[in-house]
Amino acid sequence: MSGSKSFSLLLALVSCIHVVADFGVRDGLHFSLESRATNIDGSIPTYKNPKASIEARVNDLLPRMTIEEKVAQIIQGDLNGWMDLSDPLDDTKIFNQTGLEEMMRLKGGSIWGGYLVPYDKFVFGVTVGQKYLMENTTLGIPALIQSEGLHGFTNKGTIFPSPIGLAASFDPNLVSQVSNITASEAEGLGINHMFAPVLDLSRELRWGRVEENFGEDPFLTGEMGHAFVTGLQSGRRRNASSNAIARVAATCKHFAAFGSPQGGLNIAQVSGGERELRTMFLKPFNRACVESLSIMTAYSSYDGIPAIANSHLLTDILRNEWGYKYWVTTDAGSVDLLINLHGTCDTRECAAKTALENGISGEMGGGTYTYLTLPDQIKAGTVDVKFLDATVKGMLSAKFALGLFENPYPYEDYMSFIRTPESRTVLHQADTESIVLLENRNNVLPLKKNIGSIALLGPQANRVTFGDYVFFNASLAGISPLDGFNQFITNTSSKTKINFAPGCELWSNDDSGIPAAVQAAQASDVAIVMVGTWSLDQTLLWTPGTNATTGEHVDLADLGLVGAQLKLVQAVKATGKPTIVVFVSGKPIAEPWIQENADAVVQQFYPGELGGLAIAEVIFGAVNPSGKLPVSFPRDVGTTPVFYNYLKGSRPIDAGQVLDNGQLKFGHQASQYVLNSPVPLWSFGHGLSYTTFNYTNLKVSPSTISANQDFTVTVTVKNTGEVDGKEVVQVYMTDVVSSVVTPNQELIGFQKVDIPAGKSVTVSIKVLSSQLAVWTLKNTWVVEPGAFNIKVGTSDQAFATTTLTVQ
């Protein structure tokens, strides 16, 4: 039976249930109200039978539950309800019995556990909570224990590059390894639910959370998201039932269209129609999340409808069309936003009813817990119990899928899961493969290992900069670039001298340190200037008085370098020494002067713990850079949006320009910036190597297909340089003539290959016919007949082109 049919049958079933007034429990079944966890005939209840199917276990448990128990399942509780977690160094293992019982009575379905505390204290608290639920409540329903895992397990686990950096690797297998390690480190501690991945699209670069995304493209985001979910959920918890399908639940967020707010402001409205929703924002979720065990909704509204109360989005599409059957939750405090932001409700009762009935979703903490009004509303007949039952069914399905009813507890050997040699190996690969070489004039890079001296300059040179969603002091586990260069030089027995000077601060216009940086450059053979944006850990990021330029709630009106950073780069370049600029950032930096004048430009999206060593290895050529941009770089904020897959005809080019000497050159195209260009500094997919690659023998097989026939793109790629290298083979498609306006080009396939110097490989990439479909005027997906241009290349460079025909 399809997911959509079974879900419809569920709603029909629960709508005709007879309810006992005092309990909300179905009567006339094979259990008694006095002992709902047992069967009258003495047989084992199906929900306790590990060999029974997930659906059968859910259907057996649901009618045994009271209204109050069901509501408690769908409101997020908190570990601090029975544990004192205020001091990250305190290791006192005591708990509050009254707080424990009250928390589980009202909010026992899921428990937030994202706290920086000693592991043994955390394990104690989780064990106490799960043991109470399993042994001291009527039905013994375990809880989801939740934390963050966007780019590594946050509580002193391994911190990997931010998602935007992981996306730059263009390596889904690597991303899957990263999330698998993240899950392993959390699993041993009893955490079974992670709030990741983020599948919003980076089409609005002013938005602070670009670093949390996999870039601007729906196909790349979908592939990376699918890899992340697969790696996080793969495997089975110890002693779980054979029907368990995952060990840690992923949470795809934010459903949907959250990453393109008006003005780039975090929870502002998102404008668009059904076609843009379908062709851009929903595709990554459809690819990555139908089998994820949870989904989180967005704060914002789309086309005037709050995402948490959008029945078309959450019921018609997600549940009925896609057949999604697991847990959906709101983001923190977002039900209250129906009252105090969106203005679609004026009471907590209205907000709870609207979110539940239109979203079939639970309520995360952070607000006023509007769902506590549901029992009274259901008893009064103002809320239909069928929506509550449907929501609880999603929660129970996720728990049975995780095998929690058999074993919800932490493992005694939890330390064996954390910071293993394997995690270090994957971390190193992720940190090196996420680095992108943007410019390399006169092959200034890589540096010779016996170079006499280098000036390591800039405010990012002696700093560990992680993205958001890491815990307090996580940076202490990282290696700064200065330490990384010193470590590399020591390991290679080089005698290169490092002349270090910061030059300026990230957050200041004070340029008094620039002369010292200039002096260091003059005394060196080459200058490396490390500048960029910065984020903070989750404690500092939300602390009044601290500063950052990226991260949640940190939105920008300018994408250029802050403070004296550009002035520092210009002063160093003026020395005449070869100048390499390294951007360490969570989003694109719009600085045309650097693109035009620097001898080399390297992009390092917020790295993981080995980022300082990885950048040294790339600069010196011990690692050949292989990253590609998952997001395009605008010339300035006024030329955004700058995503590569714009609709046909949207960017005529006859660019104007303001020259360095102040001269004005006016553009004259009818739809053109008269003094600027919509062409990005570097486009999506761009990334250079220390070697070169040649593409030949491009074939599409078959070259003519029916509307439902898949095809394969095959090409020969040769490493024509003198060093081994990895290349990302990218396949783009253009629908030549279509019934609606379609993108000028779309990524439809990619594969990362390792090619030795002088060698060739044949790469075959399968493409689904559905990737050619358009959302027509009749609101349906159709693969229309006609010609499709297929090109294989890097970024906007076409190395080989052919034609596919759909009959």
PDB file of all heavy atoms in Angstrom, residues 651-664:
ATOM      1  N   ARG A 651      19.354  37.664 -17.714  1.00  0.00           N
ATOM      2  CA  ARG A 651      20.590  38.424 -17.523  1.00  0.00           C
ATOM      3  C   ARG A 651      21.247  38.800 -18.843  1.00  0.00           C
ATOM      4  O   ARG A 651      22.283  38.248 -19.230  1.00  0.00           O
ATOM      5  CB  ARG A 651      21.586  37.611 -16.677  1.00  0.00           C
ATOM      6  CG  ARG A 651      21.147  37.445 -15.232  1.00  0.00           C
ATOM      7  CD  ARG A 651      22.202  36.780 -14.394  1.00  0.00           C
ATOM      8  NE  ARG A 651      21.619  36.370 -13.108  1.00  0.00           N
ATOM      9  CZ  ARG A 651      22.140  35.465 -12.303  1.00  0.00           C
ATOM     10  NH1 ARG A 651      23.258  34.862 -12.648  1.00  0.00           N
ATOM     11  NH2 ARG A 651      21.548  35.167 -11.154  1.00  0.00           N
ATOM     12  N   PRO A 652      20.693  39.771 -19.548  1.00  0.00           N
ATOM     13  CA  PRO A 652      21.387  40.286 -20.735  1.00  0.00           C
ATOM     14  C   PRO A 652      22.679  40.985 -20.308  1.00  0.00           C
ATOM     15  O   PRO A 652      22.729  41.624 -19.263  1.00  0.00           O
ATOM     16  CB  PRO A 652      20.382  41.265 -21.340  1.00  0.00           C
ATOM     17  CG  PRO A 652      19.522  41.664 -20.188  1.00  0.00           C
ATOM     18  CD  PRO A 652      19.426  40.464 -19.301  1.00  0.00           C
ATOM     19  N   ILE A 653      23.705  40.856 -21.120  1.00  0.00           N
ATOM     20  CA  ILE A 653      25.025  41.347 -20.702  1.00  0.00           C
ATOM     21  C   ILE A 653      25.526  42.445 -21.635  1.00  0.00           C
ATOM     22  O   ILE A 653      25.804  42.223 -22.815  1.00  0.00           O
ATOM     23  CB  ILE A 653      26.061  40.200 -20.682  1.00  0.00           C
ATOM     24  CG1 ILE A 653      25.539  39.028 -19.840  1.00  0.00           C
ATOM     25  CG2 ILE A 653      27.393  40.702 -20.140  1.00  0.00           C
ATOM     26  CD1 ILE A 653      25.241  39.363 -18.411  1.00  0.00           C
ATOM     27  N   ASP A 654      25.599  43.641 -21.135  1.00  0.00           N
ATOM     28  CA  ASP A 654      26.325  44.750 -21.764  1.00  0.00           C
ATOM     29  C   ASP A 654      26.768  45.628 -20.598  1.00  0.00           C
ATOM     30  O   ASP A 654      26.259  46.712 -20.370  1.00  0.00           O
ATOM     31  CB  ASP A 654      25.436  45.522 -22.737  1.00  0.00           C
ATOM     32  CG  ASP A 654      26.197  46.651 -23.424  1.00  0.00           C
ATOM     33  OD1 ASP A 654      27.443  46.664 -23.339  1.00  0.00           O
ATOM     34  OD2 ASP A 654      25.558  47.521 -24.028  1.00  0.00           O
ATOM     35  N   ALA A 655      27.705  45.102 -19.843  1.00  0.00           N
ATOM     36  CA  ALA A 655      27.959  45.603 -18.494  1.00  0.00           C
ATOM     37  C   ALA A 655      28.618  46.965 -18.481  1.00  0.00           C
ATOM     38  O   ALA A 655      29.491  47.268 -19.292  1.00  0.00           O
ATOM     39  CB  ALA A 655      28.832  44.612 -17.741  1.00  0.00           C
ATOM     40  N   GLY A 656      28.194  47.760 -17.510  1.00  0.00           N
ATOM     41  CA  GLY A 656      28.897  48.983 -17.180  1.00  0.00           C
ATOM     42  C   GLY A 656      29.956  48.703 -16.130  1.00  0.00           C
ATOM     43  O   GLY A 656      30.095  47.590 -15.632  1.00  0.00           O
ATOM     44  N   GLN A 657      30.710  49.744 -15.772  1.00  0.00           N
ATOM     45  CA  GLN A 657      31.809  49.531 -14.837  1.00  0.00           C
ATOM     46  C   GLN A 657      32.278  50.850 -14.247  1.00  0.00           C
ATOM     47  O   GLN A 657      32.263  51.889 -14.925  1.00  0.00           O
ATOM     48  CB  GLN A 657      32.984  48.842 -15.562  1.00  0.00           C
ATOM     49  CG  GLN A 657      34.113  48.393 -14.672  1.00  0.00           C
ATOM     50  CD  GLN A 657      35.195  47.687 -15.467  1.00  0.00           C
ATOM     51  OE1 GLN A 657      35.156  47.634 -16.710  1.00  0.00           O
ATOM     52  NE2 GLN A 657      36.169  47.143 -14.768  1.00  0.00           N
ATOM     53  N   VAL A 658      32.671  50.815 -12.990  1.00  0.00           N
ATOM     54  CA  VAL A 658      33.369  51.936 -12.368  1.00  0.00           C
ATOM     55  C   VAL A 658      34.827  51.532 -12.267  1.00  0.00           C
ATOM     56  O   VAL A 658      35.184  50.610 -11.528  1.00  0.00           O
ATOM     57  CB  VAL A 658      32.791  52.259 -10.974  1.00  0.00           C
ATOM     58  CG1 VAL A 658      33.560  53.430 -10.355  1.00  0.00           C
ATOM     59  CG2 VAL A 658      31.309  52.582 -11.062  1.00  0.00           C
ATOM     60  N   LEU A 659      35.699  52.203 -13.015  1.00  0.00           N
ATOM     61  CA  LEU A 659      37.104  51.818 -13.058  1.00  0.00           C
ATOM     62  C   LEU A 659      37.838  52.282 -11.807  1.00  0.00           C
ATOM     63  O   LEU A 659      37.355  53.139 -11.054  1.00  0.00           O
ATOM     64  CB  LEU A 659      37.755  52.407 -14.311  1.00  0.00           C
ATOM     65  CG  LEU A 659      37.087  52.009 -15.647  1.00  0.00           C
ATOM     66  CD1 LEU A 659      37.794  52.682 -16.824  1.00  0.00           C
ATOM     67  CD2 LEU A 659      37.085  50.501 -15.826  1.00  0.00           C
ATOM     68  N   ASP A 660      39.025  51.720 -11.578  1.00  0.00           N
ATOM     69  CA  ASP A 660      39.797  52.054 -10.382  1.00  0.00           C
ATOM     70  C   ASP A 660      40.142  53.539 -10.309  1.00  0.00           C
ATOM     71  O   ASP A 660      40.277  54.100  -9.217  1.00  0.00           O
ATOM     72  CB  ASP A 660      41.089  51.231 -10.341  1.00  0.00           C
ATOM     73  CG  ASP A 660      40.826  49.768  -9.988  1.00  0.00           C
ATOM     74  OD1 ASP A 660      39.711  49.476  -9.513  1.00  0.00           O
ATOM     75  OD2 ASP A 660      41.726  48.936 -10.184  1.00  0.00           O
ATOM     76  N   ASN A 661      40.274  54.164 -11.467  1.00  0.00           N
ATOM     77  CA  ASN A 661      40.619  55.595 -11.464  1.00  0.00           C
ATOM     78  C   ASN A 661      39.388  56.499 -11.330  1.00  0.00           C
ATOM     79  O   ASN A 661      39.492  57.721 -11.433  1.00  0.00           O
ATOM     80  CB  ASN A 661      41.395  55.960 -12.728  1.00  0.00           C
ATOM     81  CG  ASN A 661      40.576  55.735 -13.999  1.00  0.00           C
ATOM     82  OD1 ASN A 661      39.379  55.418 -13.935  1.00  0.00           O
ATOM     83  ND2 ASN A 661      41.215  55.879 -15.152  1.00  0.00           N
ATOM     84  N   GLY A 662      38.229  55.892 -11.127  1.00  0.00           N
ATOM     85  CA  GLY A 662      37.001  56.659 -10.942  1.00  0.00           C
ATOM     86  C   GLY A 662      36.210  56.888 -12.205  1.00  0.00           C
ATOM     87  O   GLY A 662      35.098  57.420 -12.162  1.00  0.00           O
ATOM     88  N   GLN A 663      36.770  56.516 -13.353  1.00  0.00           N
ATOM     89  CA  GLN A 663      36.062  56.714 -14.622  1.00  0.00           C
ATOM     90  C   GLN A 663      34.809  55.840 -14.662  1.00  0.00           C
ATOM     91  O   GLN A 663      34.802  54.700 -14.204  1.00  0.00           O
ATOM     92  CB  GLN A 663      36.980  56.360 -15.786  1.00  0.00           C
ATOM     93  CG  GLN A 663      36.333  56.543 -17.163  1.00  0.00           C
ATOM     94  CD  GLN A 663      37.277  56.155 -18.294  1.00  0.00           C
ATOM     95  OE1 GLN A 663      38.473  55.964 -18.073  1.00  0.00           O
ATOM     96  NE2 GLN A 663      36.736  56.033 -19.490  1.00  0.00           N
ATOM     97  N   LEU A 664      33.730  56.387 -15.211  1.00  0.00           N
ATOM     98  CA  LEU A 664      32.470  55.675 -15.306  1.00  0.00           C
ATOM     99  C   LEU A 664      32.263  55.147 -16.721  1.00  0.00           C
ATOM    100  O   LEU A 664      32.302  55.900 -17.692  1.00  0.00           O
ATOM    101  CB  LEU A 664      31.309  56.590 -14.929  1.00  0.00           C
ATOM    102  CG  LEU A 664      31.376  57.248 -13.545  1.00  0.00           C
ATOM    103  CD1 LEU A 664      30.125  58.107 -13.319  1.00  0.00           C
ATOM    104  CD2 LEU A 664      31.519  56.220 -12.452  1.00  0.00           C
TER     105      LEU A 664
END
